Protein backbone atom coordinates (compact mmCIF):
# COMPACT_ATOMS: atom_id res chain seq x y z
CA UNK A 1 0.00 0.00 0.00
CA UNK A 2 1.26 3.52 -0.83
CA UNK A 3 1.27 6.15 1.89
CA UNK A 4 2.27 9.82 1.62
CA UNK A 5 2.45 10.90 5.27
CA UNK A 6 3.63 7.75 6.99
CA UNK A 7 6.04 4.91 6.27
CA UNK A 8 5.12 1.36 7.20
CA UNK A 9 8.04 -1.03 6.98
CA UNK A 10 8.98 -4.42 8.30
CA UNK A 11 12.55 -4.21 9.61
CA UNK A 12 12.49 -7.85 10.73
CA UNK A 13 10.21 -10.83 10.34
CA UNK A 14 7.02 -10.20 12.31
CA UNK A 15 8.04 -6.69 13.35
CA UNK A 16 6.37 -3.66 11.80
CA UNK A 17 7.45 -0.05 12.21
CA UNK A 18 5.05 2.82 11.53
CA UNK A 19 6.85 6.16 11.11
CA UNK A 20 4.89 9.40 10.94
CA UNK A 21 6.71 11.14 8.13
CA UNK A 22 6.07 14.88 7.88
CA UNK A 23 9.32 16.13 9.40
CA UNK A 24 8.95 19.65 7.96
CA UNK A 25 5.82 20.11 10.11
CA UNK A 26 7.38 18.15 13.00
CA UNK A 27 5.16 15.21 11.98
CA UNK A 28 1.96 17.07 12.88
CA UNK A 29 -1.17 14.97 12.41
CA UNK A 30 -3.51 16.21 9.69
CA UNK A 31 -6.65 14.37 8.57
CA UNK A 32 -4.86 12.43 5.80
CA UNK A 33 -2.15 11.30 8.23
CA UNK A 34 -4.76 10.04 10.68
CA UNK A 35 -6.48 8.09 7.88
CA UNK A 36 -3.17 6.61 6.78
CA UNK A 37 -2.37 5.56 10.35
CA UNK A 38 -5.78 3.82 10.54
CA UNK A 39 -5.17 2.10 7.17
CA UNK A 40 -1.70 0.96 8.22
CA UNK A 41 -3.06 -0.52 11.45
CA UNK A 42 -5.70 -2.41 9.45
CA UNK A 43 -2.90 -3.71 7.21
CA UNK A 44 -0.86 -4.94 10.19
CA UNK A 45 -3.98 -6.46 11.75
CA UNK A 46 -4.54 -8.62 8.65
CA UNK A 47 -1.04 -10.11 8.84
CA UNK A 48 -1.20 -13.28 10.94
CA UNK A 49 2.60 -13.31 11.10
CA UNK A 50 2.77 -9.86 12.76
CA UNK A 51 4.18 -10.01 16.29
CA UNK A 52 4.81 -6.39 17.36
CA UNK A 53 4.41 -2.85 16.07
CA UNK A 54 6.77 0.07 16.73
CA UNK A 55 5.50 3.63 16.25
CA UNK A 56 7.86 6.56 15.82
CA UNK A 57 8.39 9.92 14.11
CA UNK A 58 10.71 10.86 11.24
CA UNK A 59 13.67 13.17 11.84
CA UNK A 60 15.63 14.06 14.94
CA UNK A 61 13.37 16.64 16.46
CA UNK A 62 9.88 15.30 16.91
CA UNK A 63 7.87 12.18 17.50
CA UNK A 64 4.72 14.18 16.65
CA UNK A 65 4.34 17.85 17.65
CA UNK A 66 0.57 17.64 17.78
CA UNK A 67 -2.49 17.78 15.62
CA UNK A 68 -1.93 20.02 12.59
CA UNK A 69 -2.64 23.55 13.81
CA UNK A 70 -2.60 24.94 10.25
CA UNK A 71 -5.44 22.58 9.33
CA UNK A 72 -7.39 23.11 12.57
CA UNK A 73 -7.34 26.89 12.69
CA UNK A 74 -10.38 27.34 10.43
CA UNK A 75 -12.41 24.54 12.00
CA UNK A 76 -15.99 25.10 13.06
CA UNK A 77 -17.67 22.69 15.48
CA UNK A 78 -18.71 20.16 12.80
CA UNK A 79 -15.18 19.97 11.29
CA UNK A 80 -13.73 19.70 14.80
CA UNK A 81 -15.99 16.82 15.72
CA UNK A 82 -15.23 14.96 12.48
CA UNK A 83 -11.48 15.51 13.01
CA UNK A 84 -11.61 14.41 16.61
CA UNK A 85 -13.55 11.26 15.67
CA UNK A 86 -10.98 10.52 12.96
CA UNK A 87 -8.24 10.73 15.57
CA UNK A 88 -10.16 8.58 18.04
CA UNK A 89 -10.77 5.98 15.32
CA UNK A 90 -7.06 5.73 14.47
CA UNK A 91 -5.89 5.69 18.10
CA UNK A 92 -8.54 3.20 19.22
CA UNK A 93 -7.51 0.89 16.35
CA UNK A 94 -3.94 1.08 17.65
CA UNK A 95 -5.02 0.38 21.21
CA UNK A 96 -7.17 -2.60 20.19
CA UNK A 97 -4.59 -4.08 17.81
CA UNK A 98 -4.05 -7.56 19.27
CA UNK A 99 -0.26 -7.11 19.29
CA UNK A 100 2.05 -5.17 21.60
CA UNK A 101 2.52 -1.65 20.23
CA UNK A 102 5.52 0.33 21.49
CA UNK A 103 5.98 4.06 20.96
CA UNK A 104 9.59 5.10 20.32
CA UNK A 105 9.51 8.77 21.24
CA UNK A 106 12.46 10.53 19.65
CA UNK A 107 11.66 14.19 20.42
CA UNK A 108 8.56 16.35 20.95
CA UNK A 109 5.41 14.38 21.77
CA UNK A 110 2.93 17.19 22.21
CA UNK A 111 -0.87 17.34 22.08
CA UNK A 112 -2.05 14.76 19.56
CA UNK A 113 1.51 13.39 19.52
CA UNK A 114 1.45 12.70 23.24
CA UNK A 115 -2.00 11.15 22.72
CA UNK A 116 -0.66 8.94 19.93
CA UNK A 117 2.07 7.70 22.27
CA UNK A 118 -0.51 7.14 25.03
CA UNK A 119 -2.58 4.91 22.72
CA UNK A 120 0.47 2.64 22.34
CA UNK A 121 0.96 -0.06 24.99
CA UNK A 122 4.05 1.55 26.42
CA UNK A 123 6.62 4.17 25.60
CA UNK A 124 10.38 3.94 25.21
CA UNK A 125 11.82 7.43 24.93
CA UNK A 126 15.04 9.10 23.92
CA UNK A 127 16.74 11.17 26.63
CA UNK A 128 15.82 14.18 24.42
CA UNK A 129 12.09 13.44 24.41
CA UNK A 130 9.58 16.01 25.68
CA UNK A 131 5.93 15.42 26.46
CA UNK A 132 2.98 17.70 27.00
CA UNK A 133 -0.65 18.52 26.34
CA UNK A 134 -0.41 22.22 25.39
CA UNK A 135 -3.88 22.44 23.84
CA UNK A 136 -4.99 24.98 26.47
CA UNK A 137 -2.40 27.39 25.01
CA UNK A 138 -4.46 27.28 21.81
CA UNK A 139 -7.82 27.62 23.56
CA UNK A 140 -8.95 24.02 22.98
CA UNK A 141 -9.15 20.81 24.97
CA UNK A 142 -7.17 17.72 24.07
CA UNK A 143 -9.03 16.03 21.23
CA UNK A 144 -7.59 12.55 20.82
CA UNK A 145 -8.14 10.99 24.23
CA UNK A 146 -5.59 12.87 26.36
CA UNK A 147 -8.11 13.74 29.06
CA UNK A 148 -8.86 10.02 29.43
CA UNK A 149 -5.67 8.06 28.73
CA UNK A 150 -3.23 10.38 30.55
CA UNK A 151 -5.00 10.13 33.97
CA UNK A 152 -5.32 6.37 33.54
CA UNK A 153 -1.56 6.13 33.05
CA UNK A 154 -0.07 8.67 35.47
CA UNK A 155 -2.97 9.35 37.84
CA UNK A 156 -5.62 12.05 37.97
CA UNK A 157 -3.72 14.77 39.83
CA UNK A 158 -0.56 14.68 37.71
CA UNK A 159 -2.56 14.40 34.48
CA UNK A 160 -4.87 17.27 35.30
CA UNK A 161 -1.93 19.48 36.21
CA UNK A 162 -0.32 18.82 32.82
CA UNK A 163 -3.60 19.20 30.92
CA UNK A 164 -4.55 22.58 32.42
CA UNK A 165 -1.10 24.16 32.54
CA UNK A 166 0.29 22.87 29.25
CA UNK A 167 3.57 22.26 31.08
CA UNK A 168 6.19 20.39 29.06
CA UNK A 169 7.72 17.37 30.78
CA UNK A 170 11.30 16.39 30.00
CA UNK A 171 12.36 12.77 29.58
CA UNK A 172 13.69 12.22 33.13
CA UNK A 173 10.47 13.48 34.71
CA UNK A 174 8.41 11.41 32.24
CA UNK A 175 10.27 8.33 33.46
CA UNK A 176 9.80 9.27 37.12
CA UNK A 177 6.01 9.75 36.81
CA UNK A 178 5.50 6.51 34.86
CA UNK A 179 4.66 8.12 31.53
CA UNK A 180 7.50 6.20 29.89
CA UNK A 181 8.88 2.75 30.70
CA UNK A 182 12.49 3.31 29.66
CA UNK A 183 14.89 6.04 28.55
CA UNK A 184 17.74 5.44 26.12
CA UNK A 185 20.33 7.53 24.31
CA UNK A 186 18.83 8.94 21.08
CA UNK A 187 21.06 6.79 18.86
CA UNK A 188 19.94 3.64 20.72
CA UNK A 189 16.20 4.23 20.40
CA UNK A 190 15.40 2.22 17.27
CA UNK A 191 17.69 -0.67 18.21
CA UNK A 192 16.20 -0.82 21.71
CA UNK A 193 12.71 -0.96 20.20
CA UNK A 194 13.79 -3.74 17.85
CA UNK A 195 15.36 -5.70 20.73
CA UNK A 196 12.10 -5.55 22.69
CA UNK A 197 10.09 -6.48 19.58
CA UNK A 198 12.45 -9.42 18.95
CA UNK A 199 11.94 -10.64 22.50
CA UNK A 200 8.16 -10.46 22.06
CA UNK A 201 8.41 -12.24 18.68
CA UNK A 202 10.26 -15.14 20.34
CA UNK A 203 7.34 -15.90 22.71
CA UNK A 204 4.18 -17.90 22.08
CA UNK A 205 2.25 -15.73 19.60
CA UNK A 206 -1.24 -16.79 20.65
CA UNK A 207 -0.36 -16.19 24.31
CA UNK A 208 1.04 -12.73 23.52
CA UNK A 209 -2.05 -11.73 21.52
CA UNK A 210 -4.44 -12.96 24.19
CA UNK A 211 -2.42 -11.27 26.94
CA UNK A 212 -2.72 -7.90 25.21
CA UNK A 213 -6.43 -8.45 24.69
CA UNK A 214 -6.99 -9.44 28.33
CA UNK A 215 -5.14 -6.40 29.68
CA UNK A 216 -6.83 -4.04 27.23
CA UNK A 217 -10.40 -5.28 27.63
CA UNK A 218 -10.03 -6.06 31.33
CA UNK A 219 -9.48 -2.38 32.12
CA UNK A 220 -13.09 -1.65 31.16
CA UNK A 221 -14.53 -4.61 33.10
CA UNK A 222 -15.13 -5.41 36.75
CA UNK A 223 -12.50 -7.63 38.35
CA UNK A 224 -14.62 -10.79 38.61
CA UNK A 225 -15.63 -10.73 34.93
CA UNK A 226 -12.14 -9.78 33.84
CA UNK A 227 -10.67 -12.73 35.76
CA UNK A 228 -13.29 -15.01 34.19
CA UNK A 229 -12.15 -13.79 30.76
CA UNK A 230 -8.61 -14.60 31.75
CA UNK A 231 -9.64 -18.15 32.68
CA UNK A 232 -11.19 -18.59 29.20
CA UNK A 233 -8.08 -17.21 27.56
CA UNK A 234 -5.90 -19.57 29.59
CA UNK A 235 -8.12 -22.49 28.53
CA UNK A 236 -7.77 -21.38 24.91
CA UNK A 237 -3.97 -21.35 25.08
CA UNK A 238 -4.14 -24.94 26.37
CA UNK A 239 -5.80 -25.91 23.09
CA UNK A 240 -2.72 -24.78 21.10
CA UNK A 241 0.23 -26.78 19.83
CA UNK A 242 2.37 -23.95 21.24
CA UNK A 243 1.32 -24.75 24.81
CA UNK A 244 2.38 -28.38 24.36
CA UNK A 245 5.64 -27.30 22.72
CA UNK A 246 6.39 -24.57 25.31
CA UNK A 247 5.94 -26.88 28.27
CA UNK A 248 7.72 -29.83 26.58
CA UNK A 249 10.66 -27.54 25.73
CA UNK A 250 10.90 -26.42 29.37
CA UNK A 251 11.00 -30.02 30.59
CA UNK A 252 13.51 -30.95 27.85
CA UNK A 253 15.66 -27.91 28.83
CA UNK A 254 15.69 -26.49 25.28
CA UNK A 255 14.28 -23.31 23.66
CA UNK A 256 10.69 -23.65 22.42
CA UNK A 257 9.87 -23.49 18.72
CA UNK A 258 6.51 -21.75 18.54
CA UNK A 259 4.28 -22.01 15.48
CA UNK A 260 1.56 -19.52 16.41
CA UNK A 261 -1.17 -22.16 16.62
N1 LIG B 1 0.91 21.77 13.62
C1 LIG B 1 1.33 22.28 12.45
N2 LIG B 1 2.59 22.67 12.23
C2 LIG B 1 3.47 22.54 13.23
C3 LIG B 1 3.10 22.01 14.49
C4 LIG B 1 1.74 21.60 14.67
N3 LIG B 1 1.27 21.06 15.80
N4 LIG B 1 4.18 22.02 15.28
C5 LIG B 1 5.19 22.51 14.55
N5 LIG B 1 4.76 22.83 13.31
C6 LIG B 1 5.54 23.38 12.22
C7 LIG B 1 5.85 24.86 12.46
O1 LIG B 1 4.76 25.66 12.09
C8 LIG B 1 7.06 25.05 11.57
O2 LIG B 1 6.62 25.17 10.24
P1 LIG B 1 7.32 26.27 9.24
O3 LIG B 1 7.16 27.58 9.92
O4 LIG B 1 8.76 25.81 9.15
O5 LIG B 1 6.56 26.11 7.97
C9 LIG B 1 7.78 23.72 11.70
O6 LIG B 1 6.81 22.77 12.14
C10 LIG B 1 8.92 23.75 12.70
O7 LIG B 1 8.40 24.23 13.92
P2 LIG B 1 9.07 25.44 14.75
O8 LIG B 1 9.76 26.37 13.81
O9 LIG B 1 8.02 25.99 15.62
O10 LIG B 1 10.16 24.65 15.58
P3 LIG B 1 10.77 25.05 17.01
O11 LIG B 1 11.92 24.14 17.23
O12 LIG B 1 11.01 26.52 17.10
O13 LIG B 1 9.62 24.70 18.06
C11 LIG B 1 7.88 23.34 19.02
C12 LIG B 1 9.22 23.38 18.24
C13 LIG B 1 7.39 21.88 19.05
C14 LIG B 1 8.12 23.82 20.46
C15 LIG B 1 6.86 24.27 18.32
O14 LIG B 1 6.79 23.92 16.94
C16 LIG B 1 5.48 24.16 18.87
O15 LIG B 1 5.17 24.69 19.92
N6 LIG B 1 4.61 23.48 18.10
C17 LIG B 1 3.21 23.37 18.48
C18 LIG B 1 3.06 22.40 19.62
C19 LIG B 1 1.63 22.27 20.04
O16 LIG B 1 0.98 23.24 20.46
N7 LIG B 1 1.11 21.08 19.90
C20 LIG B 1 -0.27 20.79 20.24
C21 LIG B 1 -1.08 21.02 18.99
S1 LIG B 1 -2.78 21.02 19.38
C22 LIG B 1 -9.43 18.47 18.78
C23 LIG B 1 -8.67 17.63 17.99
C24 LIG B 1 -7.35 17.55 18.20
C25 LIG B 1 -6.75 18.31 19.14
C26 LIG B 1 -7.51 19.15 19.93
C27 LIG B 1 -8.84 19.21 19.77
N8 LIG B 1 -10.78 18.56 18.56
C28 LIG B 1 -11.24 18.40 17.24
C29 LIG B 1 -11.69 18.95 19.59
C30 LIG B 1 -5.34 18.25 19.29
C31 LIG B 1 -4.67 19.36 19.44
C32 LIG B 1 -3.25 19.44 19.35
O17 LIG B 1 -2.51 18.51 19.23
Amino acid sequence: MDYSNIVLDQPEAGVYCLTVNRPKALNALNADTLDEIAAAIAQVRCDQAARALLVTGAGEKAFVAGADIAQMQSFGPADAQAFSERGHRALRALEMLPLPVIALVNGYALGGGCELALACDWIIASERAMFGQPEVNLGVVAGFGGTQRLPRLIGRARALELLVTGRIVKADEALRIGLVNQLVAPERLRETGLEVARTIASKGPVAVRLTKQMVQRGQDMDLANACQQEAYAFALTCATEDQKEGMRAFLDKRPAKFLGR
Side-chain angles (χ1 to χ4, degrees), residues 75-188:
F75 277 180
D79 310 309
Q81 184 172 341
F83 187 65
S84 183
E85 284 173 6
R86 237 176 175 128
H88 281 302
R89 204 160 38 238
L91 270 53
R92 185 70 178 155
L94 198 58
E95 196 167 55
M96 297 313 286
L97 187 69
L99 301 173
V101 179
I102 305 163
L104 303 180
V105 175
N106 47 310
Y108 290 112
L110 302 178
C114 188
E115 292 167 304
L116 175 64
L118 289 168
C120 298
D121 294 312
W122 69 90
I123 302 171
I124 301 175
S126 138
E127 288 156 352
R128 284 208 290 256
M130 284 195 254
F131 297 83
Q133 298 286 165
E135 287 88 346
V136 287
N137 295 337
L138 304 166
V140 292
V141 298
F144 298 153
T147 61
Q148 303 309 310
R149 292 193 182 94
L150 192 60
R152 282 168 168 77
L153 185 63
I154 66 170
R156 177 182 177 280
R158 284 200 166 101
L160 194 51
E161 184 226 329
L162 296 182
L163 285 158
V164 300
T165 63
R167 184 167 72 80
I168 303 297
V169 168
K170 290 189 180 153
D172 52 349
E173 183 181 353
L175 181 67
R176 185 168 54 73
I177 64 177
L179 179 51
V180 312
N181 279 21
Q182 186 182 355
L183 290 188
V184 295
E187 63 280 6
R188 289 272 310 138

